[in-house]
Amino acid sequence: MTGIEAGAAGHVCRPASAAEARREVEFALHPLLCAPDSYSLRAHRAGFEDAMLVASELVGHVLHHRESSPDVLDHQENSPGCFLVCLLHSDEVTITVTDTCEEILPLCPHSPAPGGNGLAGLGWWVINKVADQVVVQALPTGGKTITVAVPLSGP
C-alpha cells in the first residue's frame, strides 16, 4: 500500500448501509469515470468495481455483526459504528474501515466450503482475492481497522 501522497484524492464517511458505502466509494472514485480516453476507462473499470465490492463487503460485515450483537440496543446512539476512508492513488485505491466489532478475521481465509455454514466467510475470501494487500489492525480501545489496497489496472 502506498502512503498518502500529494495528489491522492480521498473521501471519509460513516455509512449506514453497504449500499451507502458503494455510493461513497463511487463518489470518491469519480475521477476514474472521467478518464480522457476509452483505454484508461477500461483499464481502471475492474479496479473501480472491485473497490465498490470491497467497501460493500467490509461495511456489510460490520453492520451485520452490530445488528446481531445483544449488547448494543440502539446501534446509532450507543455504538460509534464504522468509518470508511477511500483514497484514490495513481495505481490503486485504498479502502479503510474502522469499527468496534471484536470478531477476529482469519489472516488467510479459506474458500468457503459448500454445505456446512453456507456462504459464511465468502465476502472476506473475495476481498482477499481481489486485493493486492489486506491489513487488519486491532485498536487499543477495542475493535479494528481493516485497510485494503485494490489495484486499478490488471496484473
Side-chain angles (χ1 to χ4, degrees):
M1 276 178 263
T2 58
I4 299 175
E5 68 259 3
H11 189 67
V12 178
C13 68
R14 188 175 174 180
S17 68
E20 187 177 334
R22 288 189 301 274
R23 283 192 303 272
E24 296 294 342
V25 169
E26 184 176 15
F27 176 76
L29 303 183
H30 183 74
L32 293 180
L33 298 178
C34 301
D37 57 62
S38 61
Y39 174 77
S40 298
L41 185 60
R42 280 193 314 276
H44 295 312
R45 175 58 72 183
F48 178 85
E49 292 169 355
D50 287 346
M52 288 183 30
L53 173 66
V54 165
S56 181
E57 288 295 329
L58 289 175
V59 170
H61 174 79
V62 170
L63 297 175
H64 169 74
H65 285 278
R66 258 185 34 197
E67 289 170 1
S68 62
S69 175
D71 60 332
V72 178
L73 299 175
D74 183 356
H75 308 303
Q76 295 300 320
E77 292 181 10
N78 295 335
S79 172
C82 69
F83 290 91
L84 180 138
V85 177
C86 180
L87 292 173
L88 172 59
H89 307 278
S90 60
D91 61 344
E92 72 182 7
V93 176
T94 56
I95 297 170
T96 302
V97 173
T98 301
D99 67 83
T100 57
C101 182
E102 297 293 334
E103 180 187 9
I104 298 172
L105 298 168
L107 293 178
C108 298
H110 298 285
S111 175
N117 58 359
L119 296 177
L122 179 61
W124 186 235
W125 181 79
V126 169
I127 287 170
N128 280 270
K129 287 296 181 190
V130 303
D132 273 352
Q133 189 174 11
V134 178
V135 176
V136 180
Q137 295 176 307
L139 299 174
T141 58
K144 64 187 163 304
T145 295
I146 301 173
T147 301
V148 179
V150 179
L152 287 177
S153 53

